[in-house]
Amino acid sequence: MKFNLHTHTKRCHHAHGEDEEYVLKAIENGYKIFGFSDHAPHLFPGDYVSSCRMLPEEAGEYAQSINALKEKYKDKIDIKLGYEMEWYPDLIEKDLEYLKQFGYDYLILGQHFTENEYEDFASYCGHSVDDIEIVDKYINQLLEGARSGLFTYVCHPDLIFYKKDKKIHYEKMDYMLTELKKLDIPLEYNFYGYFDNRHYPDKEFWKMAKEKDCKVVIGLDAHRPCVIEDNKRLDKMKKEIASLGIEPIEAIKLIK
């Protein structure tokens, strides 16, 4: 594995470790391209403050830190500066205008909420849900983001799971995968879900992705430096991916 584009920093308030620690672990473990993509700040209306992403006022320092590491280690590793973003239609234009002043190399789409979090944080979908309307909203919002052409790939597309009826769940996933395939956008097989024993990656979902010949990329989704050096578990996951007949892509065009 030569590259990773999914790495967080402590600025998102649920990751740990210093930026340079991640870089040193990446170098030690043979990465050639290593991207930071912390949860992007959104310019929320009113007085809402997110507890799961960097604050707008932290974006400048984030960019400065990563760019300094780019220069410091340029002879050893190619570091990229990016963001993992939600697709919030009412905010996206203003959010990107704000981030462009600091510069970035790419964006990845990581949808965790339906509609938006500032009006209803309960719309979080990073777990099993029992409302089919939420599933439909999630799929439609993720697809709208993917169709925007702004994102290099889709993070953990199997994040949501409709727990009341597996048959209906996979029918919904089939539709989503069909639409994503039309866009030819890579889908991320998420190592942190595997590392943390979450409900994703979902084997049945990835069987369907293979049948549709979707492009697949491995993303570490590292929230702490030790994730980067867990080669034993990463190798095991890669063997499971191979057993499904999936060959993850080894190079990707960055979109910003």
Side-chain angles (χ1 to χ4, degrees), residues 2-4 38 46 51 66 88 109 129 149 187 209 221 238 252:
K2 300 295 184 183
F3 77 97
N4 166 63
D38 208 359
S51 61
I66 304 309
Y88 292 149
L109 176 60
V129 300
L187 310 180
D221 195 4
K238 288 165 70 176
I252 195 167

Side-chain angles (χ1 to χ4, degrees), residues 17-245:
E18 300 301 322
D19 301 344
E20 192 164 16
E21 289 182 75
Y22 286 92
V23 173
L24 293 174
K25 290 296 183 187
I27 293 170
E28 289 171 12
N29 288 276
Y31 286 85
K32 304 301 181 186
I33 299 174
F34 193 78
F36 284 87
S37 52
D38 208 359
H39 291 284
H42 293 283
L43 304 181
F44 296 113
D47 58 0
Y48 175 77
V49 177
S50 175
S51 61
C52 59
R53 62 188 76 257
M54 75 171 74
L55 302 175
E57 55 266 31
E58 293 176 304
E61 185 274 331
Y62 168 67
Q64 184 179 35
S65 173
I66 304 309
N67 284 328
L69 291 169
K70 269 189 189 187
E71 179 63 24
K72 182 175 181 178
Y73 293 101
K74 63 183 180 182
D75 294 332
K76 296 182 178 180
I77 194 168
D78 184 2
I79 297 173
K80 303 295 185 183
L81 170 62
Y83 293 93
E84 177 184 358
M85 296 196 75
E86 307 281 337
W87 179 256
Y88 292 149
D90 293 340
L91 302 180
I92 189 70
E93 186 174 343
K94 187 164 60 173
D95 290 340
L96 291 182
E97 191 63 31
Y98 180 76
L99 294 176
K100 283 176 182 176
Q101 68 181 303
F102 309 116
Y104 56 83
D105 298 312
Y106 67 99
L107 302 171
I108 52 179
L109 176 60
Q111 199 68 35
H112 300 82
F113 296 86
T114 57
E115 297 182 4
N116 63 70
E117 69 193 72
Y118 56 89
E119 291 179 323
D120 183 10
F121 196 83
S123 64
Y124 177 71
C125 297
H127 48 62
S128 299
V129 300
D130 57 9
D131 185 343
I132 195 63
E133 290 186 9
I134 293 294
V135 177
D136 287 334
K137 282 182 179 180
Y138 181 86
I139 291 171
N140 290 334
Q141 196 159 340
L142 183 147
L143 289 175
E144 185 179 342
R147 289 171 182 141
S148 73
L150 293 170
F151 299 100
T152 295
Y153 73 65
V154 178
C155 308
H156 41 60
D158 47 345
L159 180 81
I160 197 169
F161 197 95
Y162 180 53
K163 63 184 178 183
K164 279 193 172 181
D165 191 319
K166 284 188 177 182
K167 182 176 182 295
I168 292 176
H169 171 75
Y170 288 116
E171 287 173 356
K172 298 291 185 181
M173 293 299 102
D174 183 79
Y175 164 72
M176 185 177 77
L177 283 166
T178 297
E179 295 303 304
L180 289 169
K181 174 58 182 176
K182 290 177 184 177
L183 300 171
D184 201 33
I185 188 170
L187 310 180
E188 178 197 73
Y189 203 100
N190 186 276
F191 180 58
Y192 199 64
Y194 190 90
F195 174 92
D196 204 37
N197 197 31
R198 301 183 179 186
H199 64 278
Y200 61 91
D202 174 27
K203 187 175 182 178
E204 293 304 314
F205 177 95
W206 291 103
K207 285 181 180 178
M208 295 164 63
K210 167 60 181 175
E211 289 172 2
K212 296 182 186 301
D213 196 28
C214 295
K215 289 181 180 176
V216 177
V217 59
I218 292 175
L220 293 182
D221 195 4
H223 283 70
R224 32 190 164 147
C226 65
V227 173
I228 301 166
E229 61 184 354
D230 192 348
N231 293 307
K232 183 176 181 180
R233 235 179 306 199
L234 181 60
D235 287 344
K236 184 179 178 182
M237 187 186 81
K238 288 165 70 176
K239 288 177 182 177
E240 291 182 13
I241 295 173
S243 73
L244 299 175

